[in-house]
Amino acid sequence: MERQGEAMSERAIAHLGPIGTYAEMAALRFQAWLTDQDQQPSHLLACRSIPATLQTLADGTVDYAVVPVENSVEGSVAATLDSLWQLPQLSIQRALILPIAHALISFEDDRTAIRQVLSHPQALAQCQQWLQRQLPQAELIPTNSTTEALQDLERHPQRAVIASTRAAELYQMPIQSFPINDSPDNRTRFWVVSRNLTPGGACTSLSFSLDANIPGALVKPLQILAERQINLSRIESRPTKRSLGEYLFFLDLEADLREPAIAQAVQAVADCTEQLRVLGSYDSLDFTQVVQPS
């Protein structure tokens, strides 16, 4: 217990770096919300990849990790789902929903002279129609994050990077076009993850594996939820990485695990699956109405 007069220790929040990424923006929003809740100080830690962000949390280096899980245009972020399955000691505490607006950043004023466009694969995909129309000659090069290539952009005059306007300001680089994302309602959902027990909330996320040799194995868990009138807001599969044709399934339920009927339903699902993990039961913070895209 903290002694009277002793300074409160700072919490650490990990996110995909370098600074200026959308994950950092989400982490900053969470940091401000967290400070408003209990006035305890915290600081951010940038990591080189999404798996590294979650591993840093699992290792005990930080208290929270903020990772993207789903985009309204491009769907789920596989690295987040795969990593959480592999790190069962972590659980989701909250979801954050942020607007995403992309900018084309380059020292080249003439678009026809741009030969390469670099960014995170999700950002490239979210701007693919604009890129095809405006920069059909440019090679698209994926990077670990939206800001990774900004650090040496000045040395590559025929190169452009897709990132946020905030990133352009932080790195003091010129914006050539904004916004360039194909959908004006582009949004990303992030998960706040920690080593603490999940708090409970309006959404519950599960993942499970099945015995591939049992016909109709997926029908049984879905039927359990349907019979109890538990609505699914998302379901998708990821390869187990063990054998071709074997999958993990990720589900979001519109239900609170603190309710006994929901907990019983989840146990019934566990009984008919090979392995089940409750990733978290949590509420969401929606910043799309209160934060201007940047």
Side-chain angles (χ1 to χ4, degrees), residues 20-237:
T21 62
Y22 296 100
E24 187 205 29
M25 291 170 59
L28 286 167
R29 304 286 183 252
F30 174 66
Q31 181 185 41
W33 178 85
L34 200 60
T35 301
D36 186 59
Q37 297 300 301
D38 60 15
Q39 306 305 310
Q40 186 175 343
S42 60
H43 66 275
L44 304 188
L45 176 67
C47 299
R48 58 182 174 80
S49 67
I50 291 172
T53 302
L54 291 169
Q55 188 61 58
T56 298
L57 173 63
D59 292 342
T61 305
V62 297
D63 302 282
Y64 296 97
V66 177
V67 289
V69 65
E70 183 182 18
N71 176 260
S72 58
V73 175
E74 282 303 301
S76 296
V77 180
T80 295
L81 298 179
D82 292 348
S83 296
L84 278 180
W85 174 262
Q86 295 161 8
L87 297 169
Q89 67 270 47
L90 305 183
S91 64
I92 305 163
Q93 305 296 303
R94 196 163 294 273
L96 313 172
I97 302 171
L98 265 68
I100 304 295
H102 295 300
L104 186 77
I105 303 168
S106 179
F107 287 91
E108 178 55 72
D109 296 328
D110 181 5
R111 286 183 189 168
T112 63
I114 294 175
R115 292 291 174 262
Q116 296 178 328
V117 178
L118 291 77
S119 195
H120 188 276
Q122 283 261 343
L124 292 172
Q126 290 162 28
C127 304
Q128 58 184 327
Q129 295 177 27
W130 188 93
L131 291 169
Q132 182 59 40
R133 290 194 308 269
Q134 304 295 333
L135 296 170
Q137 79 285 354
E139 177 188 8
L140 307 184
I141 301 176
T143 58
N144 283 328
S145 73
T146 53
T147 59
E148 182 179 70
L150 285 176
Q151 297 175 90
D152 63 348
L153 182 60
E154 195 167 5
R155 297 193 293 107
H156 301 276
Q158 292 184 312
R159 179 177 288 182
V161 172
I162 295 175
S164 67
T165 56
R166 177 175 178 272
E169 293 168 2
L170 286 171
Y171 291 90
Q172 299 184 333
M173 295 191 173
I175 296 172
Q176 299 301 335
S177 294
F178 174 82
I180 66 169
N181 37 285
D182 299 327
S183 171
D185 191 30
N186 192 20
R187 297 184 297 166
T188 293
R189 181 165 61 123
F190 295 82
W191 277 341
V192 178
V193 185
S194 84
R195 298 181 304 278
N196 299 327
L197 293 175
T198 190
C203 182
T204 296
S205 295
L206 310 175
S207 59
F208 57 76
S209 59
L210 297 168
D211 187 338
N213 297 316
I214 299 178
L218 180 58
V219 173
K220 292 180 181 179
L222 297 183
Q223 195 169 35
I224 288 170
L225 299 173
E227 288 172 351
R228 290 161 173 78
Q229 298 186 327
I230 299 172
N231 191 47
L232 293 181
S233 57
R234 181 175 66 101
I235 178 171
E236 64 186 282
S237 61

